[in-house]
Amino acid sequence: MGGSSSTVQADANERTPLKHNGAKRADNLYPNLEHKSQKIVEKPNLLDRYFSISERGSSIRTEFMAGIANFVANAYLLVLMPKILEQGGVDPRIAITAFVISTTVGSLMVGLTANLPVPVGPGLGCAAFFAYGLTGSSAKPDLNATQMGITCCFLSGMAMMVLSSFDLPRRVFGVVPKSVKDAMPIGLGLLLSLCGFQQMKLVVSDPYTGVRMSTSIGLSVILGTAGAVLMAFLAHKGYDFTKFVAPIGIFTVLSWCFGLSALPKALFSIPAFGETLINFHELGKFFWSPVFGLFMICMFDIGGVVEGVCGFAD
């Protein structure tokens, strides 16, 4: 037994150099084959290199699906924002055009310059302050009040752009206590919930208290509650993308069938543009107060969203 095992080991040792010699001959015949294959596998494309997708542990497919989910999650603003601004005397057709253009330009600038997956556009806080604070909540707001509100928004935006050049908003937001930063996304969520309750007719306007609970439960409340429950169920089951698309699609069709929402008149329409409403002659002596208010709302709105999104990503 000992002699036979020694013979087998010797034969194996004799065959091993042949294997290595064959590999060496293959390397001599194709010296650049391994180098080229590694170069093809390891070299990312231009999109991957610019946004550091692989370096961050993601993929182009994941980023593409996340972009679709991000759009669907923010698509409600296409309907809600014009309705809020209409209360302030702005034509809803012009409002939706301005909203789409500003959101597209802002989001592209953030993605291309800051490399952050954060959409940027007009916030509900500033829109609500404009519609219900600056211009009033009457059925037909005065044109002068609308022009004053638009002008204050313009000055606030210019102030934000200039001060951002000196990194002042970030420094101010940096001294805010962490407890306040953590509360900002919650406050924004409560504001969005209130807007949704108003669309569902669960919360209605009141001349004395501003808003109040509705005394009746209509079909819109039932469908809205069912949609929220379905979305929570899909989120609990881990359907990250479907939890947005499925409830929106299903209950949009149901609202059309029950006459709660009007059917779209066309799939496409020409963007509406109007004359500018900026009028510095309508500014009063204390115009700096609403400008400062809009600036603070905008700064904390942006800071709250960034804090919530980046904190969740970490």
Side-chain angles (χ1 to χ4, degrees):
M1 292 295 293
S4 60
S5 61
S6 301
T7 304
V8 172
Q9 183 66 29
D11 293 340
N13 293 333
E14 291 177 358
R15 288 194 298 269
T16 302
L18 295 178
K19 182 178 180 181
H20 290 300
N21 292 334
K24 291 181 179 179
R25 287 196 299 270
D27 293 338
N28 293 331
L29 292 175
Y30 306 101
N32 298 325
L33 179 61
E34 183 179 359
H35 175 70
K36 288 184 179 180
S37 63
Q38 291 180 353
K39 184 177 181 181
I40 294 175
V41 173
E42 295 177 357
K43 183 179 179 181
N45 54 34
L46 178 62
L47 191 65
D48 195 348
R49 293 199 305 270
Y50 185 85
F51 293 103
S52 304
I53 297 177
S54 300
E55 183 180 346
R56 297 180 175 182
S58 183
S59 63
I60 295 179
R61 180 183 181 277
T62 300
E63 297 298 320
F64 180 77
M65 298 301 295
I68 296 178
N70 203 341
F71 172 79
V72 174
N74 292 276
Y76 71 96
L77 292 173
L78 293 171
V79 179
L80 184 58
M81 191 65 69
K83 287 188 175 182
I84 294 178
L85 295 179
E86 187 178 9
Q87 303 297 320
V90 181
D91 187 344
R93 298 175 302 169
I94 300 176
I96 193 172
T97 301
F99 174 77
V100 170
I101 293 176
S102 59
T103 303
T104 302
V105 174
S107 300
L108 286 175
M109 290 182 64
V110 170
L112 294 175
T113 60
N115 198 5
L116 289 176
V118 181
V120 176
L124 285 178
C126 293
F129 181 68
F130 166 80
Y132 304 112
L134 294 180
T135 61
S137 56
S138 58
K140 293 183 179 180
D142 183 62
L143 178 60
N144 295 334
T146 301
Q147 291 179 342
M148 184 272 294
I150 292 291
T151 307
C152 289
C153 291
F154 173 76
L155 293 176
S156 177
M158 294 300 296
M160 176 65 72
M161 183 179 66
V162 173
L163 294 178
S164 296
S165 303
F166 300 96
D167 201 21
L168 182 60
R170 187 190 66 84
R171 294 177 182 273
V172 172
F173 191 77
V175 301
V176 176
K178 187 178 184 303
S179 58
V180 178
K181 293 180 181 179
D182 294 337
M184 287 179 185
I186 300 175
L188 292 174
L190 293 175
L191 176 62
L192 296 178
S193 300
L194 178 60
C195 295
F197 292 153
Q198 289 177 323
Q199 295 295 317
M200 293 166 53
K201 302 296 188 297
L202 181 63
V203 175
V204 296
S205 300
D206 187 90
Y208 301 103
T209 60
V211 292
R212 62 175 177 83
M213 290 288 294
S214 176
T215 57
S216 61
I217 298 178
L219 184 59
S220 60
V221 176
I222 297 175
L223 291 180
T225 304
V229 171
L230 177 60
M231 187 175 297
F233 174 77
L234 293 175
H236 176 70
K237 291 298 183 180
Y239 297 100
D240 295 332
F241 180 71
T242 312
K243 68 181 179 183
F244 294 113
V245 178
I248 291 176
I250 293 173
F251 289 95
T252 297
V253 174
L254 289 177
S255 65
W256 289 342
C257 296
F258 289 104
L260 297 177
S261 301
L263 289 171
K265 297 180 180 179
L267 295 178
F268 304 96
S269 62
I270 300 175
F273 296 92
E275 61 181 5
T276 178
L277 294 176
I278 298 176
N279 188 356
F280 293 98
H281 297 289
E282 297 298 333
L283 293 177
K285 296 181 180 180
F286 302 100
F287 72 92
W288 56 269
S289 179
V291 171
F292 179 76
L294 283 167
F295 178 85
M296 295 301 294
I297 292 174
C298 183
M299 184 179 67
F300 284 100
D301 194 357
I302 296 173
V305 172
V306 173
E307 184 76 16
V309 173
C310 295
F312 181 79
D314 292 339

XYZ file of all heavy atoms in Angstrom, residues 213-260:
355
model
N -63.376 69.024 11.102
C -63.739 67.710 10.595
C -65.108 67.760 9.920
O -65.999 68.497 10.347
C -63.772 66.697 11.737
C -62.398 66.363 12.300
S -61.394 65.355 11.190
C -62.336 63.835 11.174
N -65.259 66.991 8.875
C -66.545 66.930 8.193
C -67.546 66.150 9.037
O -67.186 65.205 9.752
C -66.386 66.262 6.833
O -67.635 66.110 6.191
N -68.782 66.566 8.964
C -69.839 65.888 9.731
C -70.439 64.702 8.996
O -71.244 63.974 9.556
C -70.951 66.889 10.065
O -71.448 67.472 8.850
C -70.408 67.994 10.978
N -70.082 64.511 7.751
C -70.613 63.398 6.954
C -69.464 62.647 6.307
O -68.386 63.209 6.057
C -71.575 63.915 5.878
O -70.902 64.789 4.989
N -69.696 61.380 6.055
C -68.704 60.516 5.413
C -69.206 60.209 4.007
O -70.217 59.510 3.839
C -68.481 59.222 6.199
C -67.934 59.548 7.597
C -67.505 58.306 5.464
C -67.723 58.336 8.462
N -68.511 60.753 3.019
C -68.903 60.540 1.635
C -68.067 59.463 0.965
O -67.200 58.819 1.581
N -68.327 59.293 -0.322
C -67.613 58.272 -1.090
C -66.136 58.613 -1.209
O -65.289 57.714 -1.223
C -68.246 58.129 -2.476
C -67.682 57.042 -3.382
C -67.809 55.665 -2.743
C -68.376 57.067 -4.744
N -65.807 59.906 -1.276
C -64.405 60.295 -1.389
C -63.618 59.905 -0.143
O -62.452 59.510 -0.237
C -64.311 61.809 -1.616
O -64.906 62.516 -0.538
N -64.247 59.985 1.040
C -63.580 59.572 2.272
C -63.333 58.071 2.268
O -62.258 57.592 2.662
C -64.413 59.988 3.496
C -63.771 59.472 4.786
C -64.571 61.496 3.546
N -64.311 57.318 1.800
C -64.183 55.850 1.775
C -63.077 55.426 0.813
O -62.207 54.598 1.155
C -65.528 55.204 1.395
C -66.584 55.532 2.449
C -65.370 53.696 1.237
C -67.970 55.036 2.092
N -63.082 55.985 -0.395
C -62.063 55.616 -1.375
C -60.674 56.079 -0.928
O -59.686 55.353 -1.097
C -62.409 56.223 -2.736
C -63.633 55.643 -3.456
C -63.860 56.343 -4.782
C -63.473 54.140 -3.667
N -60.584 57.281 -0.352
C -59.290 57.760 0.116
C -58.725 56.915 1.239
O -57.526 56.609 1.268
N -59.585 56.515 2.170
C -59.133 55.655 3.270
C -58.706 54.291 2.756
O -57.684 53.740 3.190
C -60.256 55.504 4.303
O -60.677 56.795 4.753
C -59.786 54.686 5.490
N -59.475 53.737 1.818
C -59.114 52.434 1.244
C -57.783 52.512 0.500
O -56.956 51.586 0.576
C -60.225 51.954 0.309
N -57.543 53.631 -0.207
C -56.263 53.796 -0.899
C -55.095 53.885 0.065
O -54.030 53.304 -0.180
N -55.290 54.593 1.187
C -54.228 54.697 2.183
C -53.930 53.349 2.826
O -52.773 52.989 3.065
C -54.609 55.725 3.246
N -54.979 52.577 3.096
C -54.791 51.245 3.691
C -54.070 50.321 2.719
O -53.161 49.565 3.105
C -56.151 50.659 4.100
C -56.008 49.197 4.524
C -56.768 51.468 5.233
N -54.443 50.383 1.430
C -53.773 49.548 0.432
C -52.306 49.929 0.295
O -51.438 49.056 0.194
C -54.483 49.686 -0.914
C -53.864 48.924 -2.095
C -53.830 47.428 -1.816
C -54.623 49.214 -3.389
N -52.018 51.211 0.316
C -50.626 51.648 0.210
C -49.820 51.188 1.416
O -48.666 50.741 1.275
C -50.579 53.167 0.080
C -49.197 53.730 -0.201
S -49.218 55.510 -0.495
C -50.217 55.603 -1.978
N -50.382 51.283 2.618
C -49.683 50.827 3.818
C -49.457 49.314 3.786
O -48.396 48.823 4.201
C -50.474 51.226 5.061
N -50.440 48.572 3.274
C -50.303 47.112 3.189
C -49.197 46.734 2.222
O -48.367 45.859 2.530
C -51.630 46.493 2.749
C -51.557 45.013 2.500
C -51.539 44.123 3.564
C -51.507 44.510 1.207
C -51.458 42.748 3.337
C -51.433 43.149 0.973
C -51.403 42.260 2.045
N -49.143 47.377 1.058
C -48.095 47.071 0.076
C -46.720 47.469 0.599
O -45.729 46.779 0.337
C -48.396 47.789 -1.241
C -49.651 47.315 -1.999
C -49.895 48.176 -3.223
C -49.526 45.844 -2.397
N -46.656 48.577 1.339
C -45.380 48.977 1.920
C -44.922 47.973 2.982
O -43.729 47.666 3.097
C -45.493 50.374 2.530
N -45.872 47.437 3.751
C -45.533 46.438 4.774
C -45.028 45.156 4.130
O -44.139 44.485 4.686
C -46.763 46.148 5.628
C -46.548 45.059 6.638
N -45.731 45.198 7.748
C -47.046 43.783 6.697
C -45.721 44.067 8.436
N -46.510 43.201 7.828
N -45.554 44.798 2.959
C -45.129 43.583 2.270
C -43.838 43.776 1.487
O -43.313 42.822 0.918
C -46.245 43.103 1.330
C -47.474 42.578 2.048
C -47.147 41.357 2.893
C -48.375 40.777 3.550
N -48.053 39.585 4.366
N -43.339 45.003 1.434
C -42.059 45.240 0.769
C -42.138 45.573 -0.692
O -41.119 45.535 -1.389
N -43.326 45.933 -1.196
C -43.455 46.331 -2.600
C -43.149 47.826 -2.703
O -44.055 48.668 -2.683
C -44.857 46.032 -3.120
C -45.207 44.565 -3.106
C -45.986 44.019 -2.082
C -44.770 43.718 -4.113
C -46.306 42.675 -2.055
C -45.082 42.365 -4.107
C -45.852 41.853 -3.073
O -46.174 40.524 -3.056
N -41.861 48.149 -2.849
C -41.446 49.545 -2.791
C -42.001 50.362 -3.949
O -42.378 51.521 -3.777
C -39.918 49.634 -2.784
C -39.336 49.020 -1.517
O -40.038 49.027 -0.492
O -38.195 48.534 -1.562
N -42.014 49.794 -5.146
C -42.480 50.541 -6.322
C -43.987 50.447 -6.487
O -44.664 51.429 -6.772
C -41.768 50.021 -7.575
C -42.191 50.727 -8.834
C -41.817 52.037 -9.076
C -42.968 50.068 -9.785
C -42.200 52.691 -10.230
C -43.357 50.711 -10.948
C -42.971 52.023 -11.170
N -44.536 49.253 -6.295
C -45.965 49.032 -6.518
C -46.818 49.762 -5.501
O -47.973 50.100 -5.787
C -46.268 47.521 -6.459
O -45.317 46.831 -7.262
C -47.666 47.214 -6.966
N -46.279 50.041 -4.323
C -47.088 50.679 -3.283
C -47.524 52.085 -3.694
O -48.512 52.602 -3.167
C -46.305 50.750 -1.978
C -45.119 51.696 -2.006
C -44.385 51.699 -0.685
C -43.183 52.642 -0.720
N -42.419 52.616 0.530
N -46.808 52.717 -4.631
C -47.218 54.017 -5.137
C -48.088 53.890 -6.378
O -49.120 54.539 -6.501
C -45.990 54.874 -5.463
C -45.175 55.244 -4.266
C -43.897 54.750 -4.090
C -45.683 56.091 -3.297
C -43.146 55.086 -2.985
C -44.943 56.434 -2.180
C -43.667 55.928 -2.035
N -47.649 53.044 -7.312
C -48.305 52.977 -8.617
C -49.688 52.350 -8.518
O -50.667 52.878 -9.060
C -47.422 52.199 -9.615
C -48.120 52.079 -10.961
C -46.076 52.883 -9.766
N -49.805 51.208 -7.825
C -51.071 50.479 -7.784
C -52.206 51.285 -7.141
O -53.282 51.429 -7.747
C -50.880 49.148 -7.075
N -52.043 51.840 -5.934
C -53.161 52.602 -5.356
C -53.549 53.818 -6.176
O -54.749 54.116 -6.339
C -52.631 53.007 -3.972
C -51.567 52.029 -3.665
C -50.923 51.718 -4.975
N -52.559 54.534 -6.708
C -52.880 55.720 -7.509
C -53.655 55.334 -8.750
O -54.666 55.965 -9.102
C -51.584 56.478 -7.871
C -50.973 57.113 -6.620
C -51.861 57.559 -8.904
C -49.643 57.787 -6.870
N -53.202 54.288 -9.446
C -53.893 53.865 -10.667
C -55.297 53.333 -10.398
O -56.265 53.704 -11.079
N -55.425 52.487 -9.377
C -56.726 51.869 -9.089
C -57.754 52.906 -8.674
O -58.874 52.968 -9.209
C -56.567 50.782 -8.000
C -55.744 49.609 -8.533
C -57.940 50.304 -7.520
C -55.406 48.583 -7.480
N -57.401 53.765 -7.746
C -58.389 54.691 -7.203
C -58.595 55.913 -8.094
O -59.599 56.606 -7.950
C -57.995 55.098 -5.786
C -58.163 53.978 -4.803
C -57.091 53.173 -4.470
C -59.400 53.702 -4.248
C -57.245 52.117 -3.581
C -59.566 52.658 -3.360
C -58.482 51.857 -3.025
N -57.671 56.169 -9.009
C -57.944 57.185 -10.035
C -59.038 56.704 -10.970
O -59.968 57.448 -11.307
C -56.667 57.504 -10.818
O -55.690 58.060 -9.932
C -56.956 58.505 -11.926
N -58.944 55.442 -11.384
C -59.982 54.877 -12.250
C -61.326 54.824 -11.523
O -62.384 55.130 -12.097
C -59.555 53.477 -12.738
C -60.691 52.811 -13.525
C -58.306 53.574 -13.603
N -61.304 54.450 -10.239
C -62.551 54.403 -9.475
C -63.173 55.790 -9.311
O -64.400 55.949 -9.373
C -62.289 53.779 -8.102
C -61.985 52.274 -8.073
C -61.672 51.823 -6.659
C -63.159 51.485 -8.638
N -62.336 56.808 -9.124
C -62.872 58.171 -9.005
C -63.486 58.634 -10.307
O -64.486 59.369 -10.311
C -61.757 59.131 -8.572
O -60.760 59.232 -9.572
N -62.947 58.193 -11.443
C -63.573 58.512 -12.729
C -64.917 57.794 -12.869
O -65.896 58.385 -13.336
C -62.651 58.099 -13.873
C -61.428 58.949 -14.021
C -61.232 60.197 -13.507
C -60.226 58.599 -14.708
N -59.996 60.669 -13.833
C -59.343 59.715 -14.571
C -59.791 57.493 -15.426
C -58.072 59.720 -15.142
C -58.528 57.500 -15.982
C -57.680 58.608 -15.840
N -64.927 56.536 -12.452
C -66.172 55.754 -12.607
C -67.302 56.310 -11.741
O -68.465 56.318 -12.166
C -65.908 54.289 -12.255
S -64.752 53.439 -13.354
N -66.997 56.774 -10.534
C -68.025 57.292 -9.630
C -68.256 58.792 -9.778
O -69.041 59.371 -9.028
C -67.648 56.978 -8.177
C -67.752 55.525 -7.818
C -66.621 54.740 -7.698
C -68.994 54.937 -7.612
C -66.717 53.395 -7.374
C -69.102 53.597 -7.276
C -67.962 52.821 -7.170
N -67.581 59.417 -10.731
C -67.805 60.834 -10.990
C -67.177 61.773 -9.977
O -67.547 62.952 -9.924
N -66.225 61.283 -9.176
C -65.560 62.161 -8.218
C -64.518 63.057 -8.888
O -64.191 64.124 -8.365
C -64.881 61.325 -7.127
C -65.823 60.486 -6.258
C -65.025 59.639 -5.273
C -66.803 61.380 -5.507
